[in-house]
Amino acid sequence: MPGILRPASRIHYERDGVAIYRQSFAIIRAEADLSRFDIDQEPVVVRMIHAAGLVELAAQVAFTPGFVEKARAALRCGAPILCDAQMVASGITRRRLPAANPVLCTLSDSRVPVLAHQLGTTRSAAALELWRPHLAGAVVAIGNAPTALFHLLEMLQDPVCPRPAAIIGCPVGFVGAAESKAALMDEAPVPAMVVHGRLGGSAMTVAALNALACEEEV
Amino acid sequence: MPGILRPASRIHYERDGVAIYRQSFAIIRAEADLSRFDIDQEPVVVRMIHAAGLVELAAQVAFTPGFVEKARAALRCGAPILCDAQMVASGITRRRLPAANPVLCTLSDSRVPVLAHQLGTTRSAAALELWRPHLAGAVVAIGNAPTALFHLLEMLQDPVCPRPAAIIGCPVGFVGAAESKAALMDEAPVPAMVVHGRLGGSAMTVAALNALACEEEV
């Protein structure tokens, strides 16, 4: 290939992907306070910190008992992964999935705008109505919209609504994010994990899912 | 649709998407110290804070002079948007783009693993070699890999390498992220912006791009 890098122009930095991962995880384990987490939870939190670039994230992460075990078991059994945003769906590393699990995001479905209008809510929330046929035993990954997490909690207040196996609740932001995650941990309709407060987002949601999907770190 | 939400089960929260955006931006402008930024930069920083859920992000954002103007002009003229990660590409709001700009991520190209081996670097870095035909006048959005940003700086040390119009440099993490962004601002081969330090990632990169693409906030 013409124009490819000439050795003279090389800057000094780590170019080995595996070494970068190992060094990153070592720095995180040296700096972050992970003492609250059990042996199942710790690698999930480490990978979320890695995605966020923020060791202080550890203080905001919370799990209901048995979450990691339930989520891992569901994924091994082929559970679909239901995502509130396309960025979450696109970040999931398909080769880490244990059972070629389907990854679904309904936000761009053409029925969503009408549904949002009928329900008087956001498109992110209304899109979850299209999850119903896939919800039983699924792993839910909400990494963007507080209204999506609130809507899911409302859906699950109905005893006939199918139950997901586990919920990753990491919506981000300034209006409703903290409140929706507090409500998830209060109600805990199924095993769940959250990042409390305003922090959240697709990167840490994806990191949690990728850590649950495969126990290998590098 | 059977099983749709019954009014009795509704939790109290803001369901109006426009109101959520407006309240969010008002909270950010009340809490964040934005005094360093000019009138062009301020909405970009606000949108990045919105995506991160972190008002303290403002202290880490830096621009070279004229960056916002150059990036906006390039996008209006149809510049391609070159992304280091699929999550960045998938987060860009296509309807905000002023000229149906092409959005390109070469990381999954089948030639990348061989190229990475030949160059002795990561796949994220090697993928940028495939940007060369699209690089002249492009807007670059690096939101994941420090090695990608380092590799771009090395490419641009070669005077025959085409110049992008502007670079958003927001790789995240613990190994090379801070260093690669410091190098970008030191060398400033073209107009650039960064989030200094370990923070970064696809969400804030996408937020910056979406703010540059369209001046409407809501």
Side-chain angles (χ1 to χ4, degrees):
Chain A
M1 183 175 294
I4 217 162
L5 279 183
R6 296 169 304 182
S9 66
R10 284 166 72 106
I11 308 170
H12 179 73
Y13 59 93
E14 181 59 73
R15 294 161 202 268
D16 175 344
V18 171
I20 293 168
Y21 268 114
R22 290 212 173 111
Q23 287 175 36
S24 299
F25 292 141
I27 292 168
I28 293 165
R29 289 193 164 96
E31 291 188 19
D33 180 2
L34 303 165
S35 56
R36 282 193 302 122
F37 302 109
D38 69 27
I39 193 172
D40 281 346
Q41 296 163 346
E42 192 260 9
V44 179
V45 181
V46 167
R47 206 166 189 101
M48 293 172 79
I49 291 171
H50 177 249
L54 189 69
V55 294
E56 294 78 6
L57 184 69
Q60 307 302 116
V61 181
F63 297 87
T64 66
F67 165 83
V68 174
E69 194 185 354
K70 288 278 168 51
R72 283 199 198 283
L75 291 170
R76 277 194 303 268
C77 293
I81 301 162
L82 308 183
C83 308
D84 70 324
Q86 195 51 51
M87 277 183 81
V88 176
S90 81
I92 294 170
T93 308
R94 300 307 198 266
R95 66 179 160 71
R96 291 178 69 93
L97 297 178
N101 308 62
V103 178
L104 190 72
C105 174
T106 52
L107 185 56
S108 302
D109 189 286
S110 62
R111 291 167 289 179
V112 168
V114 170
L115 215 43
H117 183 74
Q118 284 172 347
L119 291 167
T121 191
T122 64
R123 286 183 294 121
S124 291
L128 272 62
E129 291 294 328
L130 304 177
W131 287 6
R132 290 181 184 269
H134 314 280
L135 200 53
V139 174
V140 168
I142 295 181
N144 185 43
T147 54
L149 182 50
F150 273 129
H151 193 83
L152 179 61
L153 292 174
E154 291 176 321
M155 285 166 65
L156 293 173
Q157 284 175 349
D158 180 349
V160 308
C161 181
R163 309 273 116 179
I167 300 171
I168 303 170
C170 295
V172 61
F174 297 86
V175 176
E179 296 83 352
S180 67
K181 293 178 283 191
L184 172 60
M185 294 307 267
D186 280 350
E187 300 188 17
V190 303
M193 71 169 295
V194 298
V195 171
H196 277 300
R198 292 171 170 180
L199 292 175
S202 50
M204 53 188 89
T205 305
V206 161
L209 195 288
N210 284 339
L212 294 165
C214 175
E215 299 193 39
E216 281 174 34
E217 284 205 325
V218 175
Chain B
M1 182 176 290
I4 219 163
L5 279 182
R6 296 168 306 181
S9 67
R10 284 164 73 105
I11 308 169
H12 179 74
Y13 59 93
E14 181 59 72
R15 294 161 200 268
D16 176 343
V18 171
I20 292 169
Y21 268 113
R22 291 213 171 112
Q23 285 175 39
S24 299
F25 293 141
I27 291 168
I28 292 165
R29 291 194 162 96
E31 291 189 21
D33 179 3
L34 302 166
S35 54
R36 285 193 300 122
F37 302 109
D38 69 26
I39 194 172
D40 280 346
Q41 296 163 345
E42 193 259 10
V44 178
V45 181
V46 166
R47 205 163 190 105
M48 294 172 79
I49 292 172
H50 178 249
L54 188 70
V55 292
E56 293 80 6
L57 184 69
Q60 307 303 117
V61 181
F63 297 86
T64 67
F67 165 83
V68 175
E69 194 186 354
K70 287 280 169 51
R72 283 199 198 282
L75 291 169
R76 276 195 303 267
C77 292
I81 301 162
L82 308 183
C83 308
D84 70 326
Q86 195 52 52
M87 277 182 79
V88 176
S90 80
I92 293 169
T93 307
R94 300 310 196 264
R95 65 179 160 69
R96 291 179 70 93
L97 296 177
N101 307 64
V103 177
L104 190 73
C105 174
T106 53
L107 185 56
S108 303
D109 189 286
S110 61
R111 293 166 288 179
V112 168
V114 169
L115 215 43
H117 183 74
Q118 286 174 345
L119 291 169
T121 192
T122 64
R123 285 183 293 121
S124 291
L128 272 62
E129 291 294 328
L130 304 177
W131 287 6
R132 289 181 185 270
H134 313 281
L135 200 54
V139 173
V140 168
I142 295 182
N144 184 42
T147 54
L149 182 51
F150 274 129
H151 193 83
L152 179 61
L153 291 176
E154 291 176 322
M155 287 166 64
L156 294 174
Q157 285 175 351
D158 180 349
V160 307
C161 181
R163 310 274 114 180
I167 300 171
I168 303 170
C170 294
V172 60
F174 297 87
V175 176
E179 296 83 352
S180 67
K181 292 177 285 192
L184 172 60
M185 293 307 268
D186 281 349
E187 301 188 17
V190 303
M193 71 168 295
V194 298
V195 171
H196 276 301
R198 291 171 170 180
L199 293 175
S202 48
M204 52 188 89
T205 305
V206 162
L209 194 290
N210 285 338
L212 293 166
C214 175
E215 299 194 39
E216 280 175 36
E217 284 206 324
V218 174

